[in-house]
Amino acid sequence: MERIEAIQKISSELTNELVICNIGFPSRELFHVKDSSTHFYMLGSMGLASSIGLGLAISTSKKVIVFDGDGSVLMNLGSLVTIFNQNPKNLILIVLDNECYGSTGSQCTYASTVDLGKVAKAIGFKTIFFFKNNTEMNLEEVLKSEGPIFVHFKVKKGNANVPVIPMEPVEIRDRFVDEIKNQE
């Protein structure tokens, strides 16, 4: 399954959850399939989607979804330890694992030899889901589960041919912050 198909399937089942999306092509793909003021598209800070999602989850009772990549998770593994110890019940970390740094030229990561779901389990995550295609995926079960939740979703290498997000970083930030304030 292509990453954009996974993003499309997952985002089609989301309603008003707050979403933090990893930098580069994943953000572009999410914007292309389903833009929303509840989405925060990262344009920089590789590896920090999970950290931003954790901070957001701690500050709100709303469900927080993080779309992250295997390269970013491997770049910031300490974030998994912090998420486990902070134990936010409303955080779902979805790792779209294509075994490469898709936004920087598709260089291989070690996700081909290291099972990220097993890493999450070893850290202490109690709720872990693994999917390889969208017919296996049951997001309803994921959304009903108590967090923190680790979702390991294997996808194919490659990026969708989608345009850049036609918003300035400040616009993305301000729209997202306004959405959070309006929901409180």
Side-chain angles (χ1 to χ4, degrees):
M1 168 187 292
E2 303 290 335
R3 182 183 54 224
I4 194 169
E5 294 171 317
I7 289 172
Q8 187 166 26
K9 172 72 174 162
I10 295 166
S11 64
S12 72
E13 296 187 40
L14 299 179
T15 52
N16 64 347
E17 295 84 358
L18 300 173
V19 176
I20 305 295
C21 192
N22 189 26
I23 66 166
F25 278 97
S27 278
R28 290 167 58 171
E29 291 170 2
L30 176 60
F31 181 86
H32 180 75
V33 300
K34 184 181 179 182
D35 179 36
S36 170
S37 59
T38 61
H39 297 171
F40 181 74
Y41 307 105
M42 292 179 59
L43 301 180
S45 306
M46 185 174 179
L48 295 181
S50 58
S51 299
I52 293 170
L54 171 62
L56 182 59
I58 290 171
S59 69
T60 182
S61 59
K62 300 273 308 172
K63 190 76 80 175
V64 175
I65 313 291
V66 176
F67 286 111
D68 215 345
D70 53 295
S72 291
V73 168
L74 289 168
M75 185 174 280
N76 186 16
L77 273 176
S79 168
L80 296 181
V81 176
T82 306
I83 290 170
F84 167 71
N85 281 284
Q86 290 296 315
N87 199 27
K89 306 290 186 227
N90 57 340
L91 180 63
I92 299 172
L93 176 59
I94 300 174
V95 178
L96 300 167
D97 180 357
N98 60 5
E99 301 180 0
C100 70
Y101 296 100
S103 293
T104 61
S106 295
Q107 304 88 351
C108 295
T109 69
Y110 291 117
S112 62
T113 56
V114 174
D115 185 325
L116 294 174
K118 288 182 179 175
V119 170
K121 185 174 184 175
I123 288 169
F125 278 75
K126 293 182 178 78
T127 308
I128 298 170
F129 293 88
F130 178 77
F131 304 114
K132 287 191 298 190
N133 60 61
N134 68 4
T135 57
E136 294 176 342
M137 190 182 79
N138 182 348
L139 194 62
E140 185 178 329
E141 185 180 344
V142 172
L143 290 171
K144 286 181 183 174
S145 299
E146 185 172 285
I149 298 166
F150 187 92
V151 179
H152 189 193
F153 205 135
K154 280 288 193 182
V155 295
K156 292 180 183 174
K157 292 180 182 171
N159 303 309
N161 185 18
V162 293
V164 296
I165 298 171
M167 297 172 67
E168 294 296 320
V170 171
E171 290 177 84
I172 294 170
R173 180 202 63 200
D174 290 349
R175 182 177 81 158
F176 188 69
V177 169
D178 288 345
E179 180 64 33
I180 293 170
K181 287 178 182 174
N182 289 336
Q183 289 187 9
E184 293 177 344

